Amino acid sequence: MIRTIGLTGGIGSGKSTVAGLFAEQGAAIIDTDDIAHRLTRPGGIAIPAIRAEFGDRYIAEDGALDRAGMRALVFADAAARHRLERLLHPQILAQTETELAQTGTAPYAILVVPLLPQAPAFRRLVQRVLVVDCDEATQLARIVRRSRLSEAEARAIIASQTPRAERLKLADDIIYNDGDLDALADQVDALHRRYLQNSD
Ligand SMILES: Nc1ncnc2c1ncn2[C@@H]1O[C@H](COP(=O)(O)OP(=O)(O)OP(=O)(O)O)[C@@H](O)[C@H]1O
Ligand SMILES: [Mg+2]
């Protein structure tokens, strides 16, 4: 199996931006958020199980998951979140394994897993953990700038995620994303050279 680096970080920390920079270097990118999205779009293979578990009210007119409705439910109800995860995680894992087997000639794979700290099954797929980190003020500012979330909503999401210090404990490598995009690209370049050497 291809050498796989698990990329994680809090909401809006820069995971997708970092993944894009690794892609420019030729790494294979597998993004579990993208996979979850595909599983839950109209006709997605997770839809029948979601309908059976949560009822029609969480399936939109077009047959996709009602994302806003489900987000509100699982944010308010931890048991519902566990039910959704029990249903989705095995399907995301299976699709991840399929994609890892199809990475062609890429020298290594970057597997983007926001939930890596809470998901042992995904940690078993990766040989290293790379955490994208930035201070909370930067994180909040970027989240609010890019989305329609208020600062209070962004804070609530951050508070619901694995605490920063705990996430950093899992890191084999850390990218500090408090600077500009050039500073980010420099860190990605340096890690890319190390990952190519295929050594720890
Ligand atoms: N170094 C940077 N300088 C300026 N803007 C940045 C930088 N890094 C990321 N951003 C911007 O911050 C926002 C969040 O970045 P990004 O989408 O990569 O984070 P993410 O961790 O993938 O977020 P999510 O958790 O929602 O998937 C984006 O609008 C992105 O363009
Ligand atoms: Mg992202």
Side-chain angles (χ1 to χ4, degrees):
M1 190 66 100
I2 187 167
R3 176 172 154 85
T4 304
I5 291 72
L7 172 60
T8 194
I11 177 175
S13 57
K15 298 177 297 294
S16 298
T17 307
V18 167
L21 291 165
F22 275 110
E24 285 174 19
Q25 302 280 357
I29 309 299
I30 298 167
D31 186 324
T32 55
D33 276 349
D34 288 349
I35 291 173
H37 207 272
R38 279 184 268 137
L39 292 172
T40 55
R41 69 188 174 193
I45 64 170
I47 293 297
I50 293 171
R51 195 190 293 278
E53 180 73 29
F54 294 95
D56 287 340
R57 59 182 291 202
Y58 290 100
I59 308 299
E61 290 268 297
D62 65 357
L65 172 65
D66 170 6
R67 288 174 211 291
M70 184 58 82
R71 202 178 297 123
L73 175 70
V74 302
F75 204 72
D77 180 346
R81 191 182 73 233
H82 289 132
R83 277 158 62 211
L84 181 67
E85 288 179 351
R86 261 200 306 278
L87 186 161
L88 275 182
H89 281 190
Q91 295 189 348
I92 298 171
L93 199 62
Q95 182 61 28
T96 298
E97 286 171 333
T98 299
E99 294 187 15
L100 281 172
Q102 296 170 349
T103 48
T105 58
Y108 61 90
I110 298 285
L111 176 61
V112 187
V113 193
L115 290 173
L116 195 67
Q118 305 108 273
F122 287 93
R123 280 163 68 184
R124 283 193 286 275
L125 288 180
V126 308
Q127 283 80 60
R128 292 184 76 77
V129 174
L130 168 58
V131 171
V132 187
D133 181 67
C134 66
D135 68 46
E136 200 173 297
T138 308
Q139 185 182 14
L140 277 170
R142 287 186 186 144
I143 296 168
V144 169
R145 195 182 316 137
R146 123 187 121 174
S147 58
R148 287 194 203 93
L149 292 180
S150 68
E151 187 174 321
E153 289 166 325
R155 276 188 198 282
I157 293 171
I158 291 171
S160 76
Q161 295 189 326
T162 300
R164 185 179 175 195
E166 229 172 275
R167 187 186 295 112
L168 284 169
K169 280 190 208 150
L170 300 173
D172 297 296
D173 306 306
I174 301 171
I175 286 182
Y176 295 99
N177 189 18
D178 293 299
D180 61 15
L181 289 172
D182 284 342
L184 194 62
D186 287 347
Q187 293 177 78
V188 169
D189 287 355
L191 279 173
H192 171 67
R193 282 194 294 274
R194 281 190 29 219
Y195 293 158
L196 281 184
Q197 285 166 8
N198 206 36
S199 62
D200 291 321

